[in-house]
C-alpha cells in the first residue's frame, strides 16, 4: 500500500522563488500540463479552506484575483466554492491576465459568478481568499492597489492567502509596498523562505503546507541530496535526543558539563543556565561562578558541583581556581551574566579544546577579539548563540544583510567555521552546509533570562552527545526546538506574560513535548 509518510520529509525543505520555479519547470517539461496542475492544486486549496470554514456561518466569500497563476488558482477555488453552493464574489482589479488565468476568468464569467473590479465590493464578505500575487511578485504594490490592500487589512476579516500573503517577498519575507494580513497562509508544494522569515510574521497568520505531490526526484535535482535550507520538524528535533538510555547507563556516560556564568551583578543568569542544563539530563554538572555567589548557586542546584572562582573588584570571574583543569569536561557552556570584566577568562576558554557553547557576554567579549579568526582557530566545535545585536557586533560586515536571516546565518557559519544560532522569533541554525529554521515559537519567550536557559540546555545536550559521537548540529536543533516548545506549553498554562526564565525551566521536561513527537510519528 502506498505510504504517504515517506512524503513527511518535504515538510523540511525550504525553497527560494527561483528554486520553486526550477522545480515546477521540471514537472512541466516532463509532461504535466500546467492547467492540470493548477486544477489539482486549487482543488486541494479548496478542501483546506472548507475545513476551516465549515463550522462558521457564511453568507458570501470574496476572492481577490491577480493577473498571474496565483490568480488562476484563486479563480479555480472560486469556481469550486460556487459549485458547492457558496455565494462568491470575485474581485480582479487587473485588466490583463496570463492566458490560463484569462481562460478561467472567462469560464467563471459564463457561470454568472459576480465579478467586480473594486476591492470595496468585498466589504460584506465573511471571508476573503487572497489570490493576488504568489511567488511571481516582482515589484512593490503601489497606488490604488496598495490602498485596496490596506482597506482589506482594515476590515480585519478572516483571510486565506494562497501560497503567500500578496505583497510579501518570497525570499526575504519583506513587505513590498504593502501586504495582505492573512489569517491562514497555505503555502503550495514546498515551504518558501518567506514562511520562515521574521519580516513576514505579522502577515502570515497560521501557515500550512499544501503538498501537491512534486516527485522527490525533481526536488532532489534542484535542491541536491541534502537540501541546504531546512525547517525543523518534531521528528528531526527529537531524532538525536539521547533517549532512551541504555539500561546499564551511568552518570559518566551522560555527559560532564561545565557552565561558566554569572557575576555578583547577574547571579540569576548562572542559576537559569544551570536549570536549563538540569533539564537536559546531563550526567555531571559543574558551574563555575565568582566565589561570593557560590552559596546561592548551591542552594538552587544541589546536584551541581559549584566551583567558586577568584573574582574581579566588580564581582566578575577573574580566573579559575588553581589546579582547575578544563580537560575533564565533555563540553563547556560559557557566557550568561559574566559581564565584560571576564575577558581573560573567556579568552582562556576559547583556547581550550572542548566543544563550547558561547553566549551573551561571552559573545560580547569575543566581538573584541577578532571573532572570525578566533573562532576559526578553535580546535573543537563552537556553537555561538547571538541575538541580532550580538550578531552585528560579531559580524559587522554582515549586519546589513540581517533582513534575510536565513542567508546571513549561512554566511556567518561559513565564515567562522562555527555553528551559528541566530536568535529571534524564528531561530536560524547555520552549520556550514545547512541552515535549519525553527518554525514555531512564542513571543512569551521574548524576555531576559530565557536565553540563559537555552545555553544550559544546549550545553547539557552537547556534553551528552559528544560521547556517543552524534553530529553536534543535530542536538542544536533539538535544543532550539525543545526550548521553543516548552515556551509554547508554558504560555498555555501561564499566559503570554507569565513565562519568565524560571517558569520556562519547569516546562522543559513536560511529557506533552515528547509525546507530540511520538504521536505524530506513530499515529
Ligand atoms: N507555475 C505553476 O504552474 C504553478 C503555480 N502555482 C501558482 O502560481 C503562482 C505563481 O504564478 P506566477 O508566476 O504567474 O506569479 P503570480 O501569480 O504571483 O504573479 C505574477 C503576475 O503578477 C504581475 N505582477 C508582479 N508584481 C506586480 C505588482 N507589484 N503589481 C502589479 N502586477 C504585478 C506579473 O507581471 C505577473 O503577471 C504561485 O504562487 C502559485 O499560486 C500553483 O498553481 C502551482 C503550479
Ligand atoms: K496570495
Amino acid at each position: 500500500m502506498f505510504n504517504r509518510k515517506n512524503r513527511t520529509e518535504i515538510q523540511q525543505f525550504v525553497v527560494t522563488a527561483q528554486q520553486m520555479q526550477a522545480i515546477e519547470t521540471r514537472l512541466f517539461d516532463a509532461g504535466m500540463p500546467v492547467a492540470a496542475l493548477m486544477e489539482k492544486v486549487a482543488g486541494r486549496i479548496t478542501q483546506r479552506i472548507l475545513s476551516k470554514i465549515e463550522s462558521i456561518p457564511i453568507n458570501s466569500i470574496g476572492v481577490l484575483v491577480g493577473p498571474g497563476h496565483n490568480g488562476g488558482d484563486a479563480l479555480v477555488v472560486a469556481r469550486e466554492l460556487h459549485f458547492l453552493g457558496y455565494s462568491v464574489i470575485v474581485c480582479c482589479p487587473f485588466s490583463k491576465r496570463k492566458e490560463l488565468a484569462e481562460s478561467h476568468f472567462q469560464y467563471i464569467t459564463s457561470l454568472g459568478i459576480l465579478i467586480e473590479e473594486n476591492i470595496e465590493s468585498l466589504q460584506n464578505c465573511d471571508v476573503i481568499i487572497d489570490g493576488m500575487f504568489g511567488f511571481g511578485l516582482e515589484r512593490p504594490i503601489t497606488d490604488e492597489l496598495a490602498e485596496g490592500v490596506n482597506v482589506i487589512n482594515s476590515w480585519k476579516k478572516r483571510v486565506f492567502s494562497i501560497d503567500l500573503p500578496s505583497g510579501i517577498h518570497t525570499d526575504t519575507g519583506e513587505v513590498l509596498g504593502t501586504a495582505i494580513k492573512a489569517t491562514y497562509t497555505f503555502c503550495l508544494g514546498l515551504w518558501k523562505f518567506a514562511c520562515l522569515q521574521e519580516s513576514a510574521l505579522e502577515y502570515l497568520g497560521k501557515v500550512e503546507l499544501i503538498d501537491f505531490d512534486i516527485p522527490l526526484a525533481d526536488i532532489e535535482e534542484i535542491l541536491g541530496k541534502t537540501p541546504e535550507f531546512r525547517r525543523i520538524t518534531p521528528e528531526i528535533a527529537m531524532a538525536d535526543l539521547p533517549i532512551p538510555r541504555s539500561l546499564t547507563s551511568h552518570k559518566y556516560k551522560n555527559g560532564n558539563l561545565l557552565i561558566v556564568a554569572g557575576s555578583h551583578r547577574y547571579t540569576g543568569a548562572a542559576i537559569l543556565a544551570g536549570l536549563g542544563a538540569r533539564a537536559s539530563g546531563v550526567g555531571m554538572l559543574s558551574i563555575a561562578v565568582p566565589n561570593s555567589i557560590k552559596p546561592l548557586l548551591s542552594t538552587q542546584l544541589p546536584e551541581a558541583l559549584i566551583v567558586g572562582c577568584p573574582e574581579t573588584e566588580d564581582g566578575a570571574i577573574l580566573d579559575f581556581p588553581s589546579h582547575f583543569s578544563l580537560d575533564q569536561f565533555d563540553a563547556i557552556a560559557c557566557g550568561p551574566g559574566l559581564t565584560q570584566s571576564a575577558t581573560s577568562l573567556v579568552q582562556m576558554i576559547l583556547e581550550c579544546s572542548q566543544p563550547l557553547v558561547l553566549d551573551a557576554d561571552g559573545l560580547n567579549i569575543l566581538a573584541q577579539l577578532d571573532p572570525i579568526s578566533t573562532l576559526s582557530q578553535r580546535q573543537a566545535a563552537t556553537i555561538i548563540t547571538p541575538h541580532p545585536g550580538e550578531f552585528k557586533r560579531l559580524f559587522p560586515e554582515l549586519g546589513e544583510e540581517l533582513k534575510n536571516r536565513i542567508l546571513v546565518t549561512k554566511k556567518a557559519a561559513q565564515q567562522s567555521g562555527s555553528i551559528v544560532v541566530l536568535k529571534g522569533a524564528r531561530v536560524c541554525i547555520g552549520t556550514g552546509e545547512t541552515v535549519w529554521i525553527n518554525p514555531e515559537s512564542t513571543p512569551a519567550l521574548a524576555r531576559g533570562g530565557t536565553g540563559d536557559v537555552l545555553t544550559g540546555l544546549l550545553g547539557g545536550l552537547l556534553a551528552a552527545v559528544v560521547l556517543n559521537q552524534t553530529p553536534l548540529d543535530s542536538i542544536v536543533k533539538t535544543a532550539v526546538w525543545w526550548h521553543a516548545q516548552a515556551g509554547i506549553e508554558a504560555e498555555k498554562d501561564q499566559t503570554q506574560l507569565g513565562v519568565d526564565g524560571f517558569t520556562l525551566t519547569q516546562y522543559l521536561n513536560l511529557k506533552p513535548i515528547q509525546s507530540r513527537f511520538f504521536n505524530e510519528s506513530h499515529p
Side-chain angles (χ1 to χ4, degrees):
M1 203 177 83
F2 178 69
N3 179 2
R4 281 199 69 81
K5 261 168 85 180
N6 63 9
R7 288 195 67 81
T8 56
E9 66 180 300
I10 67 154
Q11 285 283 349
Q12 285 177 31
F13 305 148
V14 185
V15 293
T16 61
Q18 204 185 8
Q19 288 170 329
M20 191 65 195
Q21 265 152 0
I23 290 169
E24 287 184 343
T25 301
R26 288 184 62 82
L27 306 196
F28 301 140
D29 289 351
M32 181 69 184
V34 179
L37 187 61
M38 184 177 283
E39 202 63 30
K40 170 172 178 157
V41 171
R44 291 195 177 174
I45 300 168
T46 308
Q47 290 307 317
R48 195 67 67 91
I49 291 173
L50 284 174
S51 72
K52 309 286 182 202
I53 63 173
E54 268 164 353
S55 56
I56 52 174
I58 301 271
N59 285 318
S60 66
I61 298 177
V63 184
L64 191 57
V65 171
H69 285 180
N70 198 251
D73 289 347
L75 286 163
V76 177
V77 172
R79 187 198 69 206
E80 292 302 293
L81 291 171
H82 165 79
F83 284 137
L84 285 164
Y86 286 98
S87 160
V88 175
I89 305 175
V90 165
C91 172
C92 183
F94 302 89
S95 53
K96 285 193 181 147
R97 285 165 284 273
K98 278 188 176 175
E99 198 180 341
L100 184 54
E102 181 60 29
S103 183
H104 285 300
F105 189 80
Q106 294 303 331
Y107 186 51
I108 66 150
T109 308
S110 79
L111 293 172
I113 293 177
L114 194 56
I115 299 180
E116 303 279 357
E117 279 183 18
N118 188 347
I119 286 179
E120 303 273 355
S121 61
L122 303 181
Q123 182 158 16
N124 294 323
C125 295
D126 304 293
V127 299
I128 306 249
I129 296 169
D130 156 35
M132 196 147 71
F133 303 114
F135 64 64
L137 180 74
E138 2 174 80
R139 52 188 186 278
I141 298 180
T142 55
D143 305 321
E144 281 173 34
L145 208 51
E147 279 170 33
V149 168
N150 296 339
V151 166
I152 291 184
N153 288 343
S154 74
W155 294 335
K156 301 200 186 312
K157 289 185 193 289
R158 193 180 299 243
V159 178
F160 299 101
S161 281
I162 298 178
D163 212 8
L164 289 166
S166 298
I168 293 295
H169 188 285
T170 311
D171 296 345
T172 62
E174 283 172 297
V175 175
L176 291 185
T178 185
I180 291 282
K181 284 199 169 176
T183 317
Y184 280 93
T185 295
F186 299 128
C187 186
L188 305 178
L190 294 167
W191 289 108
K192 315 297 177 314
F193 264 48
C195 294
L196 296 152
Q197 296 276 24
E198 288 188 16
S199 38
L201 273 188
E202 300 284 357
Y203 295 83
L204 290 163
K206 286 190 180 156
V207 287
E208 295 183 6
L209 186 71
I210 296 191
D211 181 13
F212 60 82
D213 304 314
I214 302 172
L216 290 176
D218 290 301
I219 297 174
E220 202 175 290
E221 201 56 44
I222 302 300
L223 304 186
K225 274 208 179 308
T226 43
E228 216 179 348
F229 303 105
R230 315 269 281 266
R231 182 176 163 276
I232 302 176
T233 61
E235 292 84 349
I236 282 290
M238 304 298 269
D240 291 303
L241 195 62
I243 51 170
R245 288 180 172 169
S246 134
L247 294 178
T248 56
S249 188
H250 56 76
K251 61 187 176 187
Y252 296 111
K253 277 195 175 167
N254 293 315
N256 186 359
L257 172 69
L258 172 68
I259 292 178
V260 184
S263 55
H264 202 255
R265 187 159 176 212
Y266 300 113
T267 316
I271 297 171
L272 290 172
L275 293 173
R278 170 191 278 178
S280 75
V282 68
M284 302 274 288
L285 175 61
S286 299
I287 310 177
V289 293
N291 253 323
S292 58
I293 67 170
K294 181 177 170 178
L296 248 171
L297 267 288
S298 304
T299 319
Q300 297 291 330
L301 287 131
E303 78 276 31
L305 184 88
I306 310 298
V307 182
C309 300
E311 52 189 272
T312 60
E313 271 178 19
D314 55 352
I317 304 177
L318 176 66
D319 198 354
F320 289 116
S322 48
H323 309 302
F324 182 81
S325 163
L326 294 178
D327 294 342
Q328 58 186 304
F329 299 103
D330 298 313
I332 297 170
C334 166
L338 284 181
T339 80
Q340 302 227 26
S341 302
T343 307
S344 57
L345 180 89
V346 171
Q347 259 174 314
M348 190 194 316
I349 289 172
L350 280 161
E351 284 165 17
C352 81
S353 51
Q354 267 64 33
L356 172 65
V357 181
L358 200 64
D359 182 35
D361 283 321
L363 297 175
N364 292 329
I365 292 169
L366 172 66
Q368 292 158 12
L369 302 174
D370 189 355
I372 292 182
S373 83
T374 306
L375 289 171
S376 308
Q377 283 163 23
R378 277 203 27 91
Q379 290 158 24
T382 316
I383 299 164
I384 55 174
T385 57
H387 58 58
E390 290 159 347
F391 185 94
K392 278 189 211 160
R393 286 193 281 280
L394 289 170
F395 304 100
E397 72 291 2
L398 293 179
E400 290 292 306
E401 298 180 44
L402 267 168
K403 65 180 183 184
N404 190 335
R405 288 171 45 96
I406 301 174
L407 267 194
V408 87
T409 304
K410 172 183 155 175
K411 289 187 184 175
Q414 286 177 336
Q415 286 180 13
S416 64
S418 310
I419 298 176
V420 177
V421 179
L422 177 57
K423 287 180 186 164
R426 292 291 174 270
V427 175
C428 296
I429 304 167
T431 68
E433 295 93 41
T434 312
V435 178
W436 290 94
I437 309 120
N438 187 38
E440 280 183 353
S441 190
T442 163
L445 290 174
R447 59 194 288 177
T450 58
D452 305 332
V453 175
L454 178 66
T455 303
L457 181 66
L458 203 44
L461 288 175
L462 184 64
V465 301
V466 164
L467 292 179
N468 46 19
Q469 288 165 358
T470 309
L472 299 188
D473 60 303
S474 71
I475 59 88
V476 182
K477 299 192 289 279
T478 311
V480 167
W481 182 85
W482 184 355
H483 181 260
Q485 292 297 319
I488 291 168
E489 291 298 330
E491 181 185 355
K492 284 182 198 161
D493 284 353
Q494 310 289 343
T495 80
Q496 202 169 73
L497 304 185
V499 191
D500 57 281
F502 177 77
T503 302
L504 175 67
T505 64
Q506 305 305 294
Y507 281 82
L508 284 167
N509 293 114
L510 216 60
K511 274 196 170 166
I513 297 173
Q514 289 177 21
S515 61
R516 188 183 149 197
F517 162 70
F518 289 116
N519 289 342
E520 281 184 17
S521 63
H522 307 291

